[in-house]
Each structure stands twice: as C-alpha cells, then as structure tokens.
Amino acid sequence: MKKRAATIKRKTKETDITIKLTIDGTGKSKIDTGIGMLDHMLELFAFHGLFDLEIKAKGDLRVDIHHTNEDIGIVLGEALKKALGDKKGIRRFGSAAVPMEDAVATVAADISGRGFFKEIVREPVLQPEAKDEVGYSFAHANHFFEAFAKRMGVNLNINLSSSNPDLHTNLEPVFKALGRALDEATQIDPRRKCIPSTKGVID
C-alpha cells in the first residue's frame, strides 16, 4: 500500500506552522506548539491513534493563544485530508469511548467531506468553565476542533460525561477518543474496493 503521509506548511502574519503526519504509523510524536496543554493533548491523540506526528509552531503568543490554537487545527486537518488522498477503501466511520476517572468521552467521526463540529456536549455543564494555568479552556478546545473538522472534511461529534472540574481530566479522554475514532475511520477495509460513498466521491 502506498504510504499515506503528508507535510503541510502554513505561514501567516500570525503563525508559522509545519506539520508532518503519517497515518499508518506507530504513535510517535514530536510536538512543540508553545501551548503546553495542546502539546500534551496532541501527543495523546497521536499515540492512541497510532499516527506519527511532528508539529512545529510559532505564533503570536504574546497576544494570546487564539491564533496558534486555531491554525494548528487548520493545518492538522489539512494534513490528514491530504494524506488520505481520494479516500479509496477507507472505513470512513469511526467511534470510541474513553474513560478517565469520573469522565467519559465519546467521539463519533464520519470522513464525509462535509466538515461539521458544533461544540463538545457536556453533561453536566460545569460552572465556572474549567481552565488550566495558562488559560486553555473548553472554548479553545472547541475552536481547535471546529477548525480541524472543517479543514479535514470530517463530521465530528464529541460528548463528555463528567462532573470533574479539572480541565486536564476532561480533555485527556476526548483527545484519546478522537485518536482512536480516526484510527478506525482511516483504516483500509480489504472488502472495500472503491470510495466509501454511494456518490462515488468524497471531497
């Protein structure tokens, strides 16, 4: 099988990002975004998705983390989309549930070509919203996933059942479940000889 890999570079006045991705990897990662929480979450995503992933990002963190966080989502989504090529033979759908302490994250993904993500559905909703020491929050995670889903062309639904106020405890199972769901969705089904859509194409 042809190696499914991609290198994407994106440079703007706000960020300078390079991502190298191999879909059929072993879970190795080397990630430096300047945002510690995001680094850790993407390492978990790669490890549990068995993706080989390198990310080097420089952004205007002196302003805030907004642009860097969003643009990494954009470039990672683009890298996965490019690495998948025409998507011939992929399973297309994937889902996973991952627990951590009292939190359980469930992720369902459809690589349909139609990017969709609304927000992490949390039950119960935590007030005030959990944040880490540098200000990473569910709002930032939602913004990352929105950018990622739209650029990759994946319908992404994330549900989180948790009464834990700790952001790390809540986001860790989300990123692990995302990795596992996309690992399943990107795998080749030996029975499928065509693109997995009755239309015959996935954009």
Side-chain angles (χ1 to χ4, degrees):
M1 182 177 69
K2 182 180 178 181
K3 185 177 181 180
R4 298 188 296 169
T7 298
I8 302 294
K9 296 183 180 182
R10 185 175 192 265
K11 187 173 183 178
T12 71
K13 292 181 179 180
E14 298 164 341
T15 61
D16 186 354
I17 300 168
T18 300
I19 291 183
K20 297 179 181 179
L21 169 78
T22 300
I23 290 178
D24 306 298
T26 60
K28 297 181 298 183
S29 65
K30 184 178 179 181
I31 298 171
D32 181 10
T33 70
I35 306 170
M37 178 67 79
L38 186 58
D39 286 355
H40 180 47
M41 293 302 135
L42 290 172
E43 288 167 359
L44 295 169
F45 162 77
F47 183 85
H48 291 280
L50 293 170
F51 305 122
D52 290 344
L53 180 62
E54 292 185 23
I55 301 177
K56 182 64 178 177
K58 294 181 180 179
D60 54 359
L61 298 179
R62 67 189 182 283
V63 178
D64 59 27
I65 63 177
H66 173 89
H67 296 135
T68 305
N69 179 65
E70 178 185 31
D71 286 5
I72 290 167
I74 289 171
V75 181
L76 182 58
E78 188 172 338
L80 269 161
K81 183 174 183 177
K82 183 178 179 181
L84 283 169
D86 65 5
K87 306 174 184 67
K88 184 177 180 180
I90 66 168
R91 295 186 183 277
R92 177 176 161 177
F93 301 97
S95 62
V98 172
M100 184 172 182
E101 297 177 9
D102 61 338
V104 180
T106 304
V107 174
D110 172 15
I111 304 174
S112 62
R114 298 180 297 277
F116 174 84
F117 176 78
K118 189 174 182 181
E119 63 182 11
I120 299 171
V121 177
R122 289 182 288 161
E123 293 293 342
V125 175
L126 303 179
Q127 296 293 341
E129 181 180 282
K131 292 184 179 180
D132 76 347
E133 64 276 6
V134 297
Y136 205 82
S137 65
F138 275 104
H140 290 107
N142 282 327
H143 202 197
F144 170 86
F145 289 129
E146 181 182 22
F148 170 77
K150 287 183 176 178
R151 186 55 63 102
M152 182 182 173
V154 61
N155 186 323
L156 192 60
N157 282 264
I158 301 175
N159 289 268
L160 177 66
S161 174
S162 173
S163 58
N164 196 312
D166 181 63
L167 182 73
H168 190 162
T169 302
N170 287 304
L171 286 185
E172 182 160 323
V174 168
F175 277 82
K176 288 177 177 177
L178 177 64
R180 291 181 63 86
L182 287 180
D183 176 44
E184 180 181 349
T186 58
Q187 289 304 300
I188 299 296
D189 187 333
R191 301 167 298 174
R192 180 77 69 186
K193 305 303 180 184
C194 60
I195 293 169
S197 171
T198 54
K199 296 184 297 184
V201 63
I202 297 177
D203 295 327

